Amino acid sequence: MITNAYFTSDSIDFATYYGINLLSWDYPKENSIKRRVDKAVFYPVTCLTTLSDLEEQQLLKNQLILVKDIVNNPDKLDILGLNKERKEKVLKEATELLDYKVEEEY
């Protein structure tokens, strides 16, 4: 069973007892969705604070899903009609996010 939310301790106990595999945002700790996203650097454009909700939706409609898509193809941001300064700000945030090393908190 997979969810992008969380499992209660009761649901984990139930699944363990009945041999059901679980995957959630934080479970199993060593192979959770969060850990997989961090390892693969698969951050969605919706996590960029420099974009408005409308701009995020426009990117998603144009198949620009991941932050790395923007960093690898900065010209794709042109569909938003951003001025040079704003485009640079978005790219700076995107690049910093991809370069950030997630500390092992697990």
Side-chain angles (χ1 to χ4, degrees), residues 50-105:
T50 49
L51 293 173
S52 70
D53 290 344
L54 187 62
E55 291 165 337
E56 290 171 359
Q57 292 308 312
Q58 194 165 358
L59 291 175
L60 294 172
K61 267 183 17 185
N62 284 279
Q63 305 301 310
L64 286 166
I65 311 297
L66 300 175
V67 172
K68 65 170 62 175
D69 296 335
I70 292 173
V71 171
N72 292 337
N73 301 294
D75 291 340
K76 301 272 185 174
L77 282 175
D78 293 345
I79 62 173
L80 300 178
L82 304 175
N83 64 34
K84 183 180 177 188
E85 181 181 301
R86 183 102 189 291
K87 183 177 177 181
E88 288 173 359
K89 195 173 186 178
V90 172
L91 286 172
K92 181 178 188 277
E93 180 188 18
T95 302
E96 287 175 355
L97 180 60
L98 295 184
D99 289 344
Y100 181 76
K101 300 296 180 217
V102 177
E103 292 185 29
E104 292 294 321
E105 58 188 55

Side-chain angles (χ1 to χ4, degrees), residues 28-56:
K29 198 170 193 175
E30 65 282 348
N31 199 23
S32 65
I33 293 172
K34 180 184 183 335
R35 186 169 258 200
R36 291 175 185 211
V37 167
D38 287 342
K39 280 183 185 178
V41 196
F42 281 163
Y43 302 115
V45 295
T46 54
C47 71
L48 295 175
T49 61
T50 49
L51 293 173
S52 70
D53 290 344
L54 187 62
E55 291 165 337
E56 290 171 359

